[in-house]
């Protein structure tokens, strides 16, 4: 099969090669997927650079952590009724998606109705699951609350803006250019701030009359996280759900407790992972992950919102398989809006 493989660690535009590799076969609890589209993520970039310590992968390897396609084979313990179903999935080990065939845990594989066409169908899983888990399951956003959203013009950020609006809450959207801020306003943000021209802390406090926000949705990490502490209202919830500014921050110290204590707000961690047996994972690794049944309920809620037209996946680039490295480079340079969908069957 054809696959984009990182020959070594480095900048994607320099190290990705289109190679012929063996098809992966599904092990116990896994699904083999004939891939129609792969959607690009910042974690892909971190992995290719070799700086993703959570899932360290030696090169050469096939990146790609989000796919859409058809289930064509299953491993032991997986219902055969899944065969022939159109699905979206996070591949095993959060890599292997830049290929014509991938394998994924059944716990991280979800049906995607044929009624939702490409490219949008491939752009739903990661952003809407992460945003919904963060905002509603973890932060408990309520009507009339105010939510600050970092990187609001991106794939996850644009999903968050729309989900907050469906909950009857208010949105302060932060984006890195005037054009991206205008896009956020069009998407429904009550306030859209161009962070290249304004200090986001001052702008947030001005927009809230000095009170601060009830919830901050932070997928950036690093210095942005600590600066966001100054935006929080009393009893606020600061959701830390990603490290787009540099995955290294995931394993580095530097959070000083005093601003959190004096700010009287909560720091809420989020990791998007679903497992069949959360207690077994907790005992083995100390991590708290959602159960498959919780994931199915969340997925159904998201598909219902999409079906009713209350939210939509935002796709900024829709490119053929041959254009994957160039599209990934544009993403790394922060030149894109929404998701980037790559059609694997199109050269």
């Amino acid at each position: 099969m054809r696959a984009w493989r990182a020959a070594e660690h480095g900048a994607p535009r320099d190290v990705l090669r289109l190679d012929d590799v063996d098809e992966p076969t599904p092990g116990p609890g896994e699904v083999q997927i004939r891939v129609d589209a792969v959607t690009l993520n910042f974690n892909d970039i971190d992995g290719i650079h070799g700086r993703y310590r959570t899932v360290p992968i030696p090169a050469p390897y096939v990146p790609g952590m989000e796919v859409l396609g058809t289930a064509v084979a299953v491993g032991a313990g997986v219902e055969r009724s899944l065969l022939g179903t159109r699905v979206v999935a996070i591949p095993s080990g959060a890599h292997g998606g830049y290929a014509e065939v991938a394998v994924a845990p059944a716990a991280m594989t979800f049906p995607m109705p044929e009624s939702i066409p490409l490219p949008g169908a491939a752009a739903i899983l990661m952003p809407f699951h992460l945003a919904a888990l963060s905002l509603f399951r973890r932060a408990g956003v309520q009507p009339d609350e105010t939510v600050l959203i970092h990187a609001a013009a991106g794939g996850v950020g644009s999903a968050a803006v729309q989900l907050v609006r469906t909950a009857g809450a208010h949105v302060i959207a932060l984006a890195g250019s005037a054009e991206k801020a205008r896009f956020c306003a069009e998407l429904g943000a009550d306030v859209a701030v161009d962070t290249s021209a304004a200090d986001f802390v001052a702008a947030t406090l001005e927009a809230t009359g000095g009170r601060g926000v009830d919830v901050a949705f932070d997928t950036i990490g690093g210095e942005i996280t600590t600066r966001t502490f100054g935006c929080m209202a009393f009893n606020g919830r600061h959701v830390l759900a990603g490290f787009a500014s540099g995955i290294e921050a995931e394993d580095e110290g530097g959070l000083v407790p005093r601003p959190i204590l004096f700010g009287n707000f909560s720091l809420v961690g989020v990791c998007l992972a679903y497992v069949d047996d959360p207690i077994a994972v907790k005992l083995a690794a100390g991590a708290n992950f959602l159960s498959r049944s919780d994931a199915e309920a969340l997925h159904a809620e998201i598909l219902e919102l999409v079906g009713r037209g209350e939210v939509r996946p935002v796709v900024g680039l829709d490119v053929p398989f041959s254009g994957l490295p160039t599209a990934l480079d544009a993403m790394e340079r922060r030149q894109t809006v929404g998701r980037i969908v790559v059609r694997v069957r199109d050269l």
Side-chain angles (χ1 to χ4, degrees):
M1 68 171 187
R2 296 177 308 151
W4 281 104
R5 191 160 59 161
E8 57 186 317
H9 289 134
R13 64 182 178 276
D14 297 328
V15 303
L16 286 176
R17 306 283 186 271
L18 188 58
D19 293 333
D20 287 319
V21 302
D22 294 336
E23 288 188 6
T25 57
E30 290 185 324
V31 181
Q32 186 188 55
I33 300 167
R34 179 185 181 273
V35 178
D36 292 318
V38 58
T39 310
L40 307 186
N41 288 275
F42 276 104
N43 282 353
D44 298 343
I45 295 170
D46 286 321
I48 295 168
H49 277 282
R51 59 193 181 210
Y52 194 13
R53 299 181 204 170
T54 302
V55 189
I57 310 161
Y61 82 104
V62 178
M65 64 175 297
E66 186 177 2
V67 300
L68 174 142
T70 303
V72 294
V74 296
V78 181
E79 294 291 335
R80 292 186 60 81
S81 59
L82 189 61
L83 294 174
T85 301
R86 188 190 196 215
V87 296
V88 288
I90 298 175
S92 299
H95 68 278
Y98 292 0
E100 292 179 311
V101 176
V103 294
M108 298 291 281
T109 301
F110 302 89
M112 182 54 61
E114 297 284 354
S115 59
I116 303 176
L118 279 171
I124 291 173
L125 176 56
M126 283 293 294
F128 281 95
H129 275 246
L130 180 58
L133 171 61
S134 298
L135 295 166
F136 303 134
R137 297 295 197 274
R138 295 290 287 121
V141 170
Q142 299 296 312
D144 290 326
E145 287 191 320
T146 300
V147 181
L148 177 70
I149 300 174
H150 284 287
V156 178
S158 61
V161 170
Q162 297 176 80
L163 288 171
V164 169
R165 296 298 292 163
T166 68
H170 308 289
V171 174
I172 299 175
L174 306 181
S177 71
E179 180 183 2
K180 290 182 177 181
R182 283 193 295 271
F183 169 76
C184 293
E186 293 168 0
L187 206 56
D190 299 277
V191 177
V193 179
D194 170 11
T195 57
S196 70
D199 177 79
F200 76 83
V201 178
T204 298
L205 294 177
E206 180 180 358
T208 58
R211 174 180 175 274
V213 297
D214 301 289
V215 175
F217 182 50
D218 176 6
T219 56
I220 308 300
E223 179 192 4
I224 295 299
T225 292
T226 53
R227 290 181 62 201
T228 302
F229 291 170
C231 299
M232 303 309 300
F234 183 88
N235 271 345
R237 290 89 74 200
H238 180 151
V239 178
L240 184 55
F243 298 90
S245 65
I247 196 65
E248 301 90 344
E250 189 174 52
D251 293 293
E252 294 175 352
L255 280 183
V256 177
R258 185 183 296 275
I260 302 171
L261 301 180
F262 281 44
N264 278 291
F265 64 88
S266 301
L267 189 58
V268 180
V270 175
C271 178
L272 179 64
Y274 304 126
V275 295
D276 291 317
D277 190 342
I279 299 300
V281 172
K282 173 69 171 179
L283 293 174
N288 294 311
F289 294 152
L290 266 72
S291 70
R292 172 65 186 185
S293 59
D294 289 330
E296 289 172 343
L298 191 67
H299 190 65
E301 292 169 14
I302 291 165
L303 290 183
E304 184 176 351
L305 289 171
V306 173
R308 293 202 304 258
E310 294 187 39
V311 300
R312 63 178 177 86
V314 174
V315 177
L317 286 177
D318 180 10
V319 302
F321 202 40
S322 59
L324 188 152
T326 301
L328 201 60
D329 184 56
M331 183 180 186
E332 186 169 21
R333 294 172 184 270
R334 307 301 200 270
Q335 296 172 343
T336 60
V337 169
R339 314 289 328 269
I340 301 174
V341 174
V342 178
R343 310 274 188 133
V344 173
R345 304 292 158 180
D346 295 344
L347 282 175

